[in-house]
Amino acid sequence: MHSALLDMLLANRSAAENPLHGSWLAHVVAVASLGSRHLWQDMGLSGRHEVSQLLQYYLYPLYARNQADIKWKRFLYAELGELLGQAGLKPPECGRCHEHAACLPALPEQQT
């Protein structure tokens, strides 16, 4: 799964930016997405806004598709799931975080 995520990230590098920098960021994001915390935490950043800035600059096609402002790790795995024909794909450590409900709220028919 990790290599498929990396391939997707590399395929979405910003055309106008240095491809080496985009490649570096793709590798960092792919490895950090395996962590159990928020992506920004596993990347050693100070907040989600910094992930957004990096993605906007170096992986713009992915950044632009996140119109619903979904948490980045969740969004990346949803995109990967669509690419692989596995709708609803979740990050590997998803569910261990105390903010699970904020990233993956229950669907209306699942709420009690």
Side-chain angles (χ1 to χ4, degrees):
M1 196 64 61
H2 176 262
S3 63
L5 178 62
L6 178 58
D7 290 344
M8 180 188 77
L9 292 166
L10 290 170
N12 281 277
R13 287 177 287 179
S14 301
E17 300 309 323
N18 183 325
L20 183 59
H21 296 166
S23 177
W24 170 82
L25 182 62
H27 282 84
V28 168
V29 170
V31 170
S33 72
L34 298 173
S36 61
R37 301 176 302 165
H38 292 287
L39 186 58
W40 64 268
Q41 293 169 319
D42 287 327
M43 290 177 69
L45 301 173
S46 65
R48 186 174 183 270
H49 67 283
E50 288 185 351
V51 177
S52 296
Q53 288 174 332
L54 287 167
L55 294 178
Q56 182 179 16
Y57 198 72
Y58 294 109
L59 300 171
Y60 185 77
L62 282 171
Y63 172 84
R65 286 198 299 274
N66 191 0
Q67 296 295 310
D69 198 30
I70 299 168
K71 304 276 186 186
W72 282 115
K73 191 185 296 188
R74 176 68 182 121
F75 174 78
L76 294 173
Y77 276 87
E79 287 284 303
L80 181 61
E82 290 297 319
L83 185 68
L84 298 176
Q86 298 176 18
L89 187 63
K90 294 180 181 121
E93 292 291 321
C94 190
R96 295 182 58 190
C97 171
H98 70 279
E99 295 184 33
H100 182 266
C103 292
L104 298 164
L107 298 173
E109 62 271 9
Q110 293 175 331
Q111 294 177 345
T112 55

